[in-house]
Amino acid sequence: MTSRLDTVRSARQAFVDTVDGLTDEEFDDGTTLCAGWSPRDVLAHLIGTSRIGPYLRAPWRLHRINAEIVAAGRRRPRAELIAEGRRWAQVPDRRLAGLLLGDVAMHHQDVLRGLGRTREIPPAEAAAILAEGVNLTVQKLQPTLLRYRVVPTDGISRPRGRGKVVRGTTEALGLWLGGRNVSDVQISGDRQL
């Protein structure tokens, strides 16, 4: 049986493999679902999450901390950033491994979808993307799950919320809840409690 830590390592390695396989133009200037961030920026952000101290000391500065990490990543050579990404992929923090799986998997999809690409998403990562989307609505104090009932159509996760029914894959619903502009969710007028 695969441990949670092995699952996180695999997800991180898959993400680094994806960004390493991009052309220089895609890496530096490619579109992602993260507004204003290229794949390079997403990689720098994910590596930066391994230094949890700034986030814990000042969680109200989350956007500023991310912006500082991304700006520093833009000044680094691609090879150096990829090499650090490979090291980051091998050593996830055991205490935070489960929490960070959703962030890694969601950002992997941000890069792939932004570039018009797809991959086979492991069910554990799809479930983590949905959990990450739910967490983001809570962190942003958004009442999304009071207005909508998200119903996964792929059998990976259970429905959540109440209100108008939103259907899609577990991955698409997680991205939608996380504020990403995705077209493969369907909102119906039906309401469910």
Side-chain angles (χ1 to χ4, degrees), residues 150-169:
V150 296
V151 179
T153 57
D154 55 13
I156 294 174
S157 294
R158 65 176 175 76
R160 291 173 170 84
R162 63 181 199 203
K164 287 185 180 181
V165 175
V166 182
R167 287 186 172 80
T169 63

Side-chain angles (χ1 to χ4, degrees), residues 99-122:
L99 291 174
L100 297 177
L101 177 59
D103 194 37
V104 172
M106 183 175 280
H107 282 311
H108 196 167
Q109 293 308 113
D110 289 336
V111 169
L112 289 170
R113 281 177 171 253
L115 295 171
R117 297 182 184 166
T118 61
R119 70 177 174 125
E120 185 74 28
I121 305 167

Side-chain angles (χ1 to χ4, degrees), residues 26-55:
E26 289 171 327
F27 183 78
D28 290 326
D29 300 313
T31 301
T32 72
L33 298 185
C34 298
W37 282 8
S38 69
R40 164 191 283 279
D41 300 332
V42 175
L43 175 60
H45 160 69
L46 286 172
I47 292 168
T49 62
S50 66
R51 293 180 286 282
I52 197 73
Y55 293 103

Side-chain angles (χ1 to χ4, degrees), residues 10 14 23 32 61 64 74 79 94 99 122 125 130 136 139:
S10 293
T23 67
T32 72
R61 294 185 62 233
R64 178 178 278 176
R74 288 179 181 159
R94 293 178 196 285
L99 291 174
E125 288 186 43
L130 180 58
L136 288 171
Q139 288 172 11

Side-chain angles (χ1 to χ4, degrees), residues 125-139:
E125 288 186 43
I129 291 169
L130 180 58
E132 180 75 4
V134 169
N135 288 338
L136 288 171
T137 65
V138 171
Q139 288 172 11

